[in-house]
């Protein structure tokens, strides 16, 4: 009888943990899809629907198209765009991607998502570039 109760308890714990993991997985999948769509460019109306109202104010159609042109000019073709860190916060998530391209060997793209229940919306985007060795030498002096 003890073995049966232990088996039932273990199955309930596994089922509960699977349900909890599935909800985070679904949100993360949506966030990754939004990040890919944002970076891919194309239809601004489709992309802006994935942004918060505050981000839409800062990223109008002209700013978004300028961003796409600047990424194409500075980076060229992306060769690597790999998710490396996911930070979960109470009402926000941060996704950090390691990026490599034809022109820039290493950079990081940071996406901030605001969570509205189970629906994430893109709140902010930024690019981190490595410091050049000359700037590091000046900082040490």
């Amino acid at each position: 009888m003890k073995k049966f109760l232990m088996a039932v308890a273990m199955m309930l714990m596994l089922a509960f943990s699977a349900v909890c993991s599935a909800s985070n997985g679904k949100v993360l999948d949506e966030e990754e899809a939004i990040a890919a769509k944002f970076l891919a460019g194309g239809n601004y109306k489709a992309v802006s629907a994935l942004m918060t109202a505050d981000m839409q104010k800062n990223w109008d159609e002209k700013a978004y198209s300028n961003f796409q042109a600047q990424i194409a000019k500075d980076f060229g073709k992306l060769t690597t765009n790999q998710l490396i860190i996911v930070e979960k916060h109470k009402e926000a998530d941060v996704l950090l991607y390691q990026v490599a391209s034809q022109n820039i060997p290493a950079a990081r793209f940071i996406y901030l998502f605001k969570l509205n229940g189970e629906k994430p919306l893109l709140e902010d985007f930024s690019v981190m570039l490595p410091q050049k060795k000359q700037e590091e030498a000046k900082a040490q002096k």
Side-chain angles (χ1 to χ4, degrees), residues 51-97:
M51 299 178 189
T52 62
D54 288 339
M55 187 169 179
Q56 288 175 2
K57 291 176 189 174
N58 297 328
W59 288 78
D60 61 5
E61 191 166 2
K62 183 178 179 183
Y64 183 69
S65 62
N66 287 343
F67 160 75
Q68 290 297 326
Q70 194 68 37
I71 289 289
K73 177 184 168 200
D74 292 346
F75 283 83
K77 182 181 180 186
L78 295 181
T79 56
T80 303
N81 188 20
Q82 180 181 8
L83 178 63
I84 58 171
I85 297 175
V86 177
E87 291 182 13
K88 303 291 281 175
H89 300 276
K90 186 175 181 177
E91 294 181 7
D93 289 345
V94 178
L95 272 59
L96 180 66
Y97 283 82

Side-chain angles (χ1 to χ4, degrees), residues 3 10 17 47 55 57 62 92 99 109 120 125 128:
K3 289 181 183 178
M10 185 175 72
S17 66
V47 172
M55 187 169 179
K57 291 176 189 174
K62 183 178 179 183
V99 178
F109 289 173
F125 171 80
M128 283 179 31

